[in-house]
Amino acid sequence: MSFEQFIFYVLAAIAIISGLMMITVKNPVKAALWLVLAFISTAGLWIMAQAEFLGLVLILVYVGAVMVLFLFVVMMLDINMSILKEGFTRYLPIGALAAVAIFALIYMVVGPDHFGLDKVAAPDMKPAGYSNTTEIAIPLYTEHAYAFILAAVLLLVGIVAAIALTLRRRPTGAVLYQDIDKQNKTLAKDRFEMVKMDAVVEKAVVENEEEDKK
Amino acid sequence: MNFVIPSFAPAIPEIVLLVMASLILVADTFWSKRFQNATYYAIQATLLVVGYLLLTSFTAETVYTFNDSFVRDSFADVMKLFTIAVSLGVFMFAREYLAQHKFVSGEFFVLGLFGVLGMFVLISANNFITLFLGLEIMSLAIYAMVALRKYDGMAVEAAMKYFVLGALATGMMLYGISMVYGATGSITFTEIKEIIASGQADGIVLAFGVVFIVIGLAFKLGAVPFHMWMPDVYHGAPTAVTLYIGTAPKLAGFAMLYRLLYEAMPGLVTDWQQLIIMISILSMVVGAIVAIAQDNLKRMLAYSGIGHIGFLLLGVIAATDNGFSAAMFYIIVYAITGVAGFGIIVALSRTGFEFDRIADFKGLNQKNPWLALMMLIIMFSMAGIPPFVGFWAKILVIEEVVAAGFTWIAIIAVITAVISAFYYLRVVKAMYFDQSEIKGPVEIISPSLHWGLSFVAILLLALGLLPTQLIDLCYLSI
């Protein structure tokens, strides 16, 4: 076993174990952290397959941004885990059976019988100065420019959908808003008014107090 | 690096659609306060302009552009024109509904227009990436539209179910796509077709991929056993959104099926034909039997839609040019009938009252005989009773499946058609022979809807009397 193969199996084992832990662990925060570990080990696998750019982007985008946001959401919500876990043991046998069956099928198809080295040759080792980023960037902005723009449209639709679903315009009577322009434009005479009025003599209150005592 | 800038001309309708949708999205925030209907009229004008552009550049030849990721052929043009026509009707009905239920929002129309763009991309897709992106643009817009009435618990629940199941189905489909890519080494449909025909690709890996792709397709079309979302989403969504989901996206879904199964993988016909036979029969049976138990018209139409998809797949089972043409005719007729069927619920609903139970239609003939007649036409057309156009749609797919040698499937189809006639006729019986439970008159919410609904319903009759042009159009374009 070469050193590369050793690294590969270590990373693959970490990815599988963290994936299993992610779906079985009870605490959602811990599950998210296990998922982070799964992402990092997958990124390692990608880098070993000479896809450095994708590996780094996986760490930056998924681990750095998506999972951190996800952790925020998990921490802010008060999720009752006992309700979520209900029926887990009841469905476990049938779920495990389905999982094993699908795994066996996938192994039969994706395994060495159909994707072995005799069927698909091992990729060439790239020279040291080989730039992964250029190789991805050139087709992305030329051949696949149409798909690239469509991906942008997809994100735009996502933004519109998110804003439309979360923005709540409350009537101005119900909430008090601060209008800074209006505040700056106010003059002293709008705010403060001098009123001339006659002096008023206060009425005696003793009489009332006595009535209260009765 | 040698790169030739591709021709943009075939995609001009899409480009105009995208530019206008983005423009309206920004403009809506400015003009929506002063002119409530400006967004609606802008959307309708955009659709008309795009339809005009399509008509003037209508082409009978096949043009590929953007490195073979975009295809423009007569199939695409016809499907896009009907998508435009159906969407025009949908938005017209939807506006009145939104006004009645006091949730007029520009987002509904803008998301709807982006959905139409997604359908266009899907119809014209010639590789897996654009197909997938088109599908996602369309689906994402629809998920958001279902949940748009955010204080309505049922709508939000429907949106959640749709979103989670939809994401799962998309994942399945992507997995299948990756398998096909792994076996052929190409994402372009035309290339995949050649590679499969040459026999270089691994048959087992391809068959494995096809299974997952068919699962994804069946989910998007709402075929059994991936139909669970349909009744809940149709029932839970605001009727205007149900109207949108039940019509135009089905056209795009059929286009996706055609591009994937018939343009990319005709070499694997023995693999997907068996799957489609199973799905088709199950859909027809479940659609016919479960619909009988429904008392809500939207749920009933959802199950009837499942049955219709089963019928549509008969043409796909035939796996010939003529079979797909018959299926194309079926889906176009289904979309038009859908506009009328959901349109009548929209047209009769009032603030705080959805008018979507079958019991609400009791005695409609005494209250409003013209409307009852329109509903009668719609129900008869859906049931496939001559001379309405639904009859021609059913007879064509059955003819094609018999021609392909599957007489036993045709027999099952006819039996389920007879069973499903029962629940359509039950609505007719409620309208003509039962006593109304509603006090006061039953009126359509606005005169323009009255004209619109009458137009669509009479169109069903007119197309049924003179179906040749539309049938020829479908047979010539595949």
Side-chain angles (χ1 to χ4, degrees):
Chain A
M1 190 193 278
S2 70
F3 181 65
E4 269 183 21
Q5 275 176 318
F6 174 73
I7 300 271
F8 172 83
Y9 284 116
V10 169
L11 285 173
I14 294 175
I16 291 171
I17 292 167
S18 51
L20 280 174
M21 290 303 286
M22 186 245 153
I23 57 170
T24 47
V25 85
K26 280 217 168 80
N27 188 330
V29 177
K30 284 181 188 163
L33 291 175
W34 279 111
L35 189 59
V36 167
L37 184 59
F39 280 140
I40 291 174
S41 47
T42 317
L45 288 178
W46 280 6
I47 289 171
M48 285 192 62
Q50 303 181 50
E52 294 90 0
F53 180 73
L54 291 180
L56 292 175
V57 164
L58 184 72
I59 291 183
L60 286 177
V61 174
Y62 275 86
V63 179
V66 176
M67 287 316 294
V68 171
L69 279 178
F70 188 76
L71 274 178
F72 271 127
V73 174
V74 169
M75 285 174 180
M76 282 181 184
L77 293 177
D78 181 23
I79 305 169
N80 189 348
M81 288 312 290
S82 57
I83 292 174
L84 286 184
K85 289 279 171 187
E86 235 170 57
F88 181 76
T89 42
R90 190 149 55 96
Y91 296 119
L92 187 64
I94 193 159
L97 198 71
V100 168
I102 291 177
F103 176 78
L105 277 173
I106 291 177
Y107 181 78
M108 265 153 52
V109 174
V110 189
D113 285 356
H114 299 282
F115 285 100
L117 279 177
D118 52 329
K119 295 270 169 32
V120 185
D124 312 322
M125 293 303 279
K126 299 282 188 261
Y130 179 78
S131 167
N132 224 285
T133 319
T134 328
E135 287 302 307
I136 291 173
I138 288 173
L140 188 63
Y141 292 108
T142 54
E143 280 173 45
H144 297 292
Y146 177 58
F148 186 72
I149 292 167
L150 288 178
V153 176
L154 180 59
L155 290 179
L156 177 66
V157 174
I159 295 169
V160 174
I163 293 174
L165 293 184
T166 50
L167 181 68
R168 281 152 208 264
R169 279 192 207 90
R170 283 186 284 184
T172 33
V175 205
L176 296 175
Y177 290 104
Q178 192 179 15
D179 190 343
I180 294 165
D181 285 352
K182 208 174 166 189
Q183 287 175 339
N184 284 337
K185 278 179 198 157
T186 39
L187 300 170
K189 67 178 168 54
D190 298 334
R191 287 285 174 87
F192 186 70
E193 199 177 345
M194 296 290 283
V195 184
K196 247 201 162 27
M197 56 195 295
D198 297 329
V200 180
V201 182
E202 256 183 59
K203 283 178 190 166
V205 285
V206 187
E207 220 172 298
N208 288 340
E209 274 177 9
E210 277 179 359
E211 271 179 14
D212 286 344
K213 277 173 191 170
K214 283 174 193 173
Chain B
M1 181 69 220
N2 191 12
F3 176 67
V4 185
I5 293 192
S7 158
F8 286 91
I12 283 177
E14 277 85 355
I15 295 171
V16 171
L17 197 55
L18 172 60
V19 169
M20 285 308 291
S22 310
L23 205 69
I24 294 168
L25 177 66
V26 178
D28 174 61
T29 55
F30 293 107
W31 67 29
S32 63
K33 277 186 193 125
R34 238 176 301 162
F35 316 103
Q36 225 184 11
N37 288 326
T39 309
Y40 165 74
Y41 286 116
I43 294 282
Q44 294 292 57
T46 307
L47 287 177
L48 285 174
V49 168
V50 172
Y52 173 77
L53 287 174
L54 278 168
L55 264 183
T56 47
S57 65
F58 192 88
T59 168
E61 53 193 298
T62 308
V63 188
Y64 297 99
T65 184
F66 303 132
N67 270 66
D68 288 354
S69 62
F70 182 94
V71 57
R72 176 96 185 261
D73 49 10
S74 49
F75 171 78
D77 278 0
V78 172
M79 290 303 270
K80 282 178 193 170
L81 279 172
F82 276 101
T83 307
I84 291 279
V86 165
S87 307
L88 277 169
V90 167
F91 287 132
M92 193 190 91
F93 282 91
R95 182 183 67 130
E96 303 283 347
Y97 178 89
L98 299 184
Q100 275 290 312
H101 290 254
K102 307 232 172 0
F103 89 115
V104 181
S105 62
E107 291 90 357
F108 176 89
F109 296 110
V110 174
L111 284 172
L113 199 61
F114 273 113
V116 173
L117 176 67
M119 292 169 212
F120 269 45
V121 171
L122 198 49
I123 290 171
S124 268
N126 196 45
N127 78 19
F128 282 132
I129 297 178
T130 45
L131 180 111
F132 182 73
L133 285 169
L135 174 66
E136 282 302 281
I137 293 172
M138 180 183 93
S139 310
L140 203 56
I142 294 174
Y143 301 145
M145 281 164 86
V146 175
L148 214 48
R149 202 152 65 179
K150 41 196 177 217
Y151 301 105
D152 179 355
M154 265 176 71
V156 174
E157 188 192 326
M160 269 319 280
K161 280 180 186 164
Y162 193 18
F163 180 65
V164 172
L165 290 175
L168 195 68
T170 323
M172 293 265 186
M173 195 153 160
L174 259 188
Y175 195 72
I177 287 173
S178 71
M179 284 294 140
V180 174
Y181 173 64
T184 59
S186 171
I187 51 168
T188 310
F189 294 163
T190 30
E191 277 175 28
I192 290 172
K193 184 181 177 179
E194 282 164 21
I195 293 168
I196 292 175
S198 72
Q200 291 164 346
D202 192 322
I204 291 178
V205 178
L206 280 175
F208 190 70
V210 164
V211 173
F212 283 94
I213 289 178
V214 169
I215 290 175
L217 284 173
F219 177 88
K220 290 296 168 195
L221 283 169
V224 181
F226 309 101
H227 65 291
M228 304 299 185
W229 61 275
M230 286 255 295
D232 286 346
V233 172
Y234 276 40
H235 185 197
T239 313
V241 181
T242 312
L243 173 67
Y244 184 87
I245 302 172
T247 52
K250 300 285 173 191
L251 291 172
F254 170 70
M256 175 166 70
L257 181 101
Y258 169 76
R259 296 273 183 226
L260 279 174
L261 295 188
Y262 201 58
E263 293 224 311
M265 302 189 282
L268 302 174
V269 61
T270 43
D271 290 318
W272 54 257
Q273 199 176 35
Q274 296 162 6
L275 291 169
I276 300 283
I277 289 176
M278 224 158 59
I279 292 172
S280 165
I281 293 175
L282 281 175
S283 301
M284 286 189 294
V285 171
V286 170
I289 292 170
V290 184
I292 294 173
Q294 306 304 320
D295 56 1
N296 181 297
L297 192 64
K298 274 156 83 181
R299 282 188 98 82
M300 193 199 93
L301 286 179
Y303 279 104
S304 122
I306 294 168
H308 281 299
I309 293 300
F311 269 93
L312 161 89
L313 292 176
L314 291 179
V316 179
I317 291 171
T320 54
D321 282 3
N322 283 349
F324 272 93
S325 303
M328 181 180 168
F329 180 68
Y330 199 100
I331 199 74
I332 289 171
V333 169
Y334 172 69
I336 297 172
T337 322
V339 173
F342 291 110
I344 203 161
I345 306 175
V346 166
L348 287 169
S349 69
R350 292 184 300 273
T351 319
F353 183 52
E354 290 282 357
F355 211 94
D356 61 354
R357 291 177 312 141
I358 294 173
D360 295 335
F361 282 83
K362 276 184 184 172
L364 188 64
N365 185 40
Q366 300 145 12
K367 301 262 182 188
N368 197 332
W370 176 252
L371 213 57
L373 182 69
M374 295 300 116
M375 189 65 179
L376 175 96
I377 292 177
I378 296 164
M379 286 295 124
F380 274 16
S381 181
M382 281 191 181
I385 294 170
F388 304 103
V389 70
F391 167 71
W392 296 106
K394 279 202 165 65
I395 205 163
L396 278 180
V397 284
I398 289 175
E399 249 175 35
E400 294 302 340
V401 85
V402 170
F406 295 100
T407 318
W408 61 279
I409 303 177
I411 294 170
I412 296 176
V414 172
I415 294 170
T416 56
V418 173
I419 298 172
S420 58
F422 168 77
Y423 58 79
Y424 295 121
L425 292 179
R426 200 177 55 172
V427 178
V428 174
K429 181 219 157 217
M431 287 192 304
Y432 282 88
F433 301 104
D434 288 352
Q435 280 299 320
S436 178
E437 289 170 356
I438 299 168
K439 293 177 185 73
V442 176
E443 291 293 340
I444 284 191
I445 51 185
S446 84
S448 67
L449 273 197
H450 197 281
W451 288 109
L453 188 67
S454 306
F455 173 75
V456 186
I458 290 168
L459 187 70
L460 293 176
L461 177 64
L463 281 175
L465 294 173
L466 303 161
T468 358
Q469 274 80 18
L470 187 55
I471 293 175
D472 284 349
L473 188 67
C474 294
Y475 273 74
L476 287 175
S477 55
I478 290 182

